[in-house]
Amino acid sequence: MSLITFNKLFFDNEEACRNFFFNIFHPSGFVCSKCGCIHYRILSTRPHVYQCKHCYHQVNLFVGTIFQNNKLPLYTLLLGIFLFVTPYNGISAEELANSIDVNRKTAQLLCRKIRYLMEIDNHCFDLQSSFLEADCFYIGGKSHNGKRGLGTDKQTFLIVLATDRENNYPYRFKTAAIKSENKENVLDFLETISIMIKILY
């Protein structure tokens, strides 16, 4: 999704932003935790609070989630998430702070929360696909040993993409830090994430 498309959907649209989070946190719809009623109303004075129409039990939109104490406007929060996960080269906390008009501390906290969610998501799902692509990349500054590629002393990460054909947009991917880019470490990683394939590496 482009930034233009994103803004067409969510900019100055509190209801669209609220519905986005609501559908994620309540994929089966609202169910009151007290009485089981599925009917609710949104409080006009507290638009992030849902009230059961039967027992009047109130539930905050973000209750029980990592954003439970969120004080940012919904559009600002959603835009921050979008800007964090979209750029191929990432975004710093300072850049994010300037982009969504918050202070650096708030941007750093948001970045940590998103990274935590990405880590959880990375471990919760298996790559069920008919086509997989794997490659390694390295994170860190300059190599202390002056070598590049397989000889570098930077931290090695393996990424596996699940697609339906070569070079297609991935359905899902997994990453993990590995000791080095060799057959044993790669196969150990693939076994850990329960991918039952024969791979020539």
Side-chain angles (χ1 to χ4, degrees):
M1 181 185 297
S2 68
L3 181 58
I4 292 177
T5 302
F6 175 88
N7 280 325
K8 285 181 179 178
L9 292 173
F10 301 109
F11 178 70
D12 200 25
N13 192 335
E14 179 81 4
E15 182 179 1
C17 295
R18 184 174 60 243
N19 288 338
F20 174 86
F21 288 110
F22 180 85
N23 291 331
I24 291 177
F25 300 145
H26 304 279
S28 300
F30 177 86
V31 178
C32 179
S33 59
K34 296 294 184 180
C35 68
C37 179
I38 61 174
H39 302 291
Y40 66 91
R41 71 183 186 93
I42 300 173
L43 301 185
S44 59
T45 56
R46 301 167 65 194
H48 301 170
V49 176
Y50 296 79
Q51 185 180 69
C52 173
K53 285 189 175 182
H54 178 70
C55 69
Y56 305 111
H57 176 64
Q58 296 180 356
V59 179
N60 187 283
L61 175 64
F62 295 111
V63 68
T65 75
I66 199 169
F67 299 119
Q68 181 166 318
N69 298 318
N70 170 67
K71 293 181 175 60
L72 295 174
L74 293 186
Y75 172 74
T76 302
L77 174 60
L78 192 54
L79 178 61
I81 296 173
F82 176 84
L83 293 176
F84 185 92
V85 302
T86 301
Y88 73 92
N89 59 344
I91 186 171
S92 68
E94 185 172 352
E95 290 175 308
L96 186 62
N98 293 331
S99 298
I100 63 176
D101 195 23
V102 298
N103 61 52
R104 183 183 178 87
K105 185 176 180 180
T106 299
Q108 288 176 327
L109 178 60
L110 180 57
C111 288
R112 287 198 296 269
K113 288 184 176 182
I114 298 173
R115 291 190 188 100
Y116 175 71
L117 291 176
M118 293 174 70
E119 180 181 0
I120 293 176
D121 183 76
N122 193 44
H123 288 84
C124 287
F125 298 92
D126 292 333
L127 299 182
Q128 299 177 353
S129 174
S130 59
F131 195 95
L132 299 170
E133 297 183 64
D135 201 357
C136 286
F137 61 96
Y138 308 92
I139 291 181
K142 293 183 179 180
S143 296
H144 294 95
N145 59 9
K147 297 182 180 179
R148 302 174 61 184
L150 293 175
T152 185
D153 59 353
K154 296 182 184 180
Q155 174 62 63
T156 308
F157 279 81
L158 176 69
I159 181 170
V160 180
L161 308 178
T163 69
D164 60 2
R165 63 180 183 273
E166 187 175 3
N167 295 325
N168 194 34
Y169 190 84
Y171 303 133
R172 186 173 290 278
F173 68 90
K174 284 183 177 287
T175 62
I178 57 178
K179 294 180 180 179
S180 62
E181 185 181 352
N182 58 44
K183 178 180 178 180
E184 289 73 23
N185 288 328
V186 171
L187 292 179
D188 284 345
F189 173 75
L190 295 176
E191 182 178 355
T192 300
I193 62 177
S194 302
I195 301 178
M196 305 305 295
I197 61 171
K198 293 181 179 180
I199 183 170
L200 179 62
Y201 188 81

